[in-house]
């Protein structure tokens, strides 16, 4: 079974929603059958809700991208060179990226030739399969946060100003607090006017503790104080904001190196994650940011915000293929629950739902 059929059976209404396996659940031995059933039902409900968030959040991309694919299939019933050329243009316009599209088209042409495929209707399914293969690239995709066995887990957030870094910290903090974790937010962006106050307000709103200093203070000193406090008060997760200036890479690199040294002195294996926040609506400029930050610090994952605000959702595939860093979270709306752990199958379904 190809990925297209697999996802179609997983998520479409015509098929029964897959049952959550009990072996996937961490069920205590003392739970009775009714309690086990309740846990399973909640898991299934959350899964359905998450799928709906993907569907809604990718509406612009789906309507733009898939409608063009469907029109292309209606225009060409047989696979021709003209078909390939128009398909290539559609993929590039979806912000998948020129290099990624070139690799994809080479793979698709070879597969069409090898499997002697002529029907464009069947080719739609192969397109879904090959886009998935490009993202996975024979790797084990890790989309979960690397939580430390010893408290606290330290997560550093980097990215240029205006990408939604502070809001992302707030949403992720809220998500972790709802899971029973004690969260502390540290205002390491001491240069942007109002950044410290903004993070403090978010911390209060979601129920996290907060550490910050006056505007213009040394970011490393703020982070030092925050981590010392976290060690003493039993904090589970420390979320650290940083400045987003990319005009001078050398200065930013020096600043991040200093921050990493300070973290390493207090938390020897920290930071446990360095998440780069990118605004999806900036398109290929976002990929340029990812490449620039990758040069100056060790990025472990990407948070792609405002994906609901662009018709070019293919940037998810381009970032992974061109930068080699997994997308760990995507922003699909303004609500806190719209910050979703990235799931490639839900993404593919949300993008290609109208073809299934």
């Amino acid at each position: 079974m190809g990925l297209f059929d697999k996802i179609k059976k997983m998520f479409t209404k015509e098929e029964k929603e897959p049952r959550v396996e009990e072996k996937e659940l961490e069920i205590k031995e003392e739970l009775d059958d009714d309690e086990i059933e309740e846990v399973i039902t909640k898991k299934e409900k959350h899964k359905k809700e998450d799928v709906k968030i993907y569907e809604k959040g990718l509406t612009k991309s789906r309507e733009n991208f898939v409608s063009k694919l469907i029109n292309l299939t209606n225009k060409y019933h047989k696979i021709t060179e003209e078909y390939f050329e128009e398909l290539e243009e559609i993929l590039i316009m979806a912000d998948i990226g020129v290099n990624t599209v070139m690799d994809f088209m080479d793979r698709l042409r070879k597969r069409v030739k090898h499997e002697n495929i002529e029907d464009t209707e069947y080719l739609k399914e192969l397109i879904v399969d090959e886009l998935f293969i490009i993202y996975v690239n024979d790797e084990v995709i890790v989309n979960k946060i690397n939580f430390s066995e010893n408290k606290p887990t330290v997560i550093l957030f980097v990215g240029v100003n205006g990408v939604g870094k502070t809001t992302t910290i707030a949403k992720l903090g809220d998500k972790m607090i709802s899971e029973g974790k004690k969260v502390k937010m540290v205002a390491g962006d001491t240069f942007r006017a109002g950044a410290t106050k903004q993070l403090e307000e978010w911390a209060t709103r979601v129920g996290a503790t907060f550490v910050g200093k006056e505007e213009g203070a040394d970011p490393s000193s703020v982070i030092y104080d925050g981590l010392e406090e976290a060690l003493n008060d039993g904090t589970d997760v420390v979320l650290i904001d940083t400045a987003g200036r990319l005009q001078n890479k050398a200065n930013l690199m020096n600043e991040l190196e200093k921050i990493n040294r300070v973290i390493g002195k207090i938390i020897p294996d920290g930071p446990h994650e360095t998440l780069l926040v990118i605004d999806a609506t900036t398109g290929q400029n976002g990929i340029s940011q990812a490449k620039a930050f990758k040069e100056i610090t060790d990025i472990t994952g990407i948070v792609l915000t405002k994906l609901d605000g662009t018709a070019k959702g293919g940037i998810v595939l381009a970032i992974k293929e061109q930068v080699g860093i997994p997308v760990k979270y995507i922003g699909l709306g303004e609500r806190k629950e719209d910050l979703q752990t990235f799931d490639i199958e839900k993404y593919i379904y949300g993008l290609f739902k109208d073809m299934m």
Side-chain angles (χ1 to χ4, degrees):
M1 182 191 296
L3 179 80
F4 186 91
D5 287 333
K6 178 185 175 186
I7 292 179
K8 187 175 180 179
K9 287 189 175 184
M10 284 174 67
F11 297 125
T12 50
K13 293 178 182 177
E14 289 74 19
E15 297 290 337
K16 184 180 179 181
E17 187 72 21
R19 186 70 168 167
V20 176
E21 298 280 347
E22 288 189 20
K23 64 183 179 182
E24 295 176 0
L25 304 174
E26 295 179 3
I27 300 174
K28 297 179 181 178
E29 291 183 2
E30 62 267 22
L31 292 182
D32 59 30
D33 290 342
D34 289 341
E35 289 172 319
I36 291 173
E37 183 66 26
E38 184 180 353
V39 171
I40 293 173
T41 302
K42 284 181 179 178
K43 287 267 186 180
E44 290 176 341
K45 182 180 178 182
H46 288 153
K47 182 176 180 180
K48 288 179 182 179
E49 290 172 351
D50 290 348
V51 171
K52 287 179 181 178
I53 291 171
Y54 270 81
E55 283 183 43
K56 183 180 177 182
L58 290 169
T59 298
K60 285 187 178 181
S61 290
R62 183 171 62 252
E63 290 177 348
N64 177 61
F65 182 35
V66 174
S67 64
K68 289 178 181 177
L69 278 180
I70 292 172
N71 291 338
L72 183 64
T73 302
N74 293 336
K75 181 178 178 181
Y76 295 96
H77 298 293
K78 295 291 182 182
I79 299 170
T80 64
E81 187 56 36
E82 288 77 16
Y83 171 90
F84 278 129
E85 289 176 0
E86 290 192 33
L87 174 60
E88 184 177 299
E89 184 178 344
I90 289 170
L91 294 170
I92 290 172
M93 291 303 292
D95 241 349
I96 293 176
V98 175
N99 293 335
T100 309
V101 171
M102 295 299 103
D103 291 343
F104 170 82
M105 293 303 299
D106 286 343
R107 294 172 63 105
L108 195 64
R109 288 173 193 270
K110 288 176 183 176
R111 191 165 172 185
V112 165
K113 184 177 180 180
H114 178 71
E115 299 180 25
N116 197 26
I117 299 167
E118 296 181 351
D119 186 1
T120 56
E121 187 66 33
Y122 177 65
L123 195 60
K124 288 192 303 185
E125 299 184 19
L126 291 193
I127 290 170
V128 175
D129 283 358
E130 289 296 330
L131 288 174
F132 173 80
I133 290 168
I134 277 182
Y135 186 86
V136 175
N137 193 28
D138 294 326
E139 299 173 7
V140 177
I141 303 299
V142 180
N143 61 359
K144 299 189 186 309
I145 291 294
N146 174 36
F147 286 104
S148 174
E149 292 182 3
N150 302 310
K151 297 180 182 181
T153 294
V154 180
I155 304 176
L156 195 64
F157 290 81
V158 299
V160 301
N161 292 332
V163 295
K165 205 157 65 257
T166 307
T167 307
T168 296
I169 292 171
K171 288 180 179 179
L172 189 55
D174 183 78
K175 187 184 292 285
M176 291 177 173
I177 289 168
S178 70
E179 294 168 357
K181 294 180 174 64
K182 185 175 182 180
V183 175
K184 187 179 300 296
M185 298 181 185
V186 179
D189 182 0
T190 59
F191 296 97
R192 180 172 64 87
T196 297
K197 186 65 177 174
Q198 183 185 10
L199 189 64
E200 184 177 16
E201 289 174 355
W202 272 117
T204 301
R205 194 179 304 180
V206 304
T209 56
F210 172 81
V211 174
K213 290 186 178 180
E214 70 281 356
E215 191 175 311
D218 179 12
S220 296
S221 70
V222 182
I223 293 167
Y224 182 93
D225 290 349
L227 293 178
E228 285 280 8
E229 186 177 295
L231 283 173
N232 293 325
D233 66 9
T235 293
D236 295 304
V237 184
V238 181
L239 306 178
I240 302 174
D241 194 9
T242 62
R245 301 160 301 159
L246 196 56
Q247 292 86 342
N248 188 321
K249 273 205 267 185
N251 285 351
L252 184 56
M253 180 169 64
N254 291 336
E255 185 177 298
L256 288 174
E257 283 180 349
K258 184 178 178 183
I259 287 172
N260 279 306
R261 284 198 305 273
V262 167
I263 293 172
K265 284 180 181 178
I266 303 172
I267 312 292
D269 58 343
H272 304 98
E273 293 276 1
T274 299
L275 301 181
L276 172 62
V277 184
I278 296 175
D279 180 345
T281 63
T282 62
Q284 293 298 305
N285 185 43
I287 294 175
S288 298
Q289 291 170 23
K291 290 178 178 178
F293 272 95
K294 187 179 179 182
E295 289 176 5
I296 61 179
T297 194
D298 181 23
I299 306 295
T300 59
I302 287 172
V303 182
L304 199 57
T305 64
K306 309 176 190 178
L307 197 58
D308 60 309
T310 179
K312 298 183 176 183
I315 189 175
V316 170
L317 302 168
I319 285 178
K320 174 61 171 55
E321 202 272 340
Q322 292 186 40
V323 188
I325 301 172
V327 175
K328 293 204 171 186
Y329 290 95
I330 55 175
L332 293 166
E334 295 296 325
R335 303 174 305 165
K336 60 184 181 182
E337 57 266 34
D338 292 330
L339 179 68
Q340 286 279 311
T341 301
F342 180 67
D343 183 305
I344 183 63
E345 291 177 341
K346 291 175 186 173
Y347 165 78
I348 291 288
Y349 175 69
L351 197 57
F352 292 98
K353 172 178 176 282
D354 295 342
M355 283 171 43
M356 298 183 178

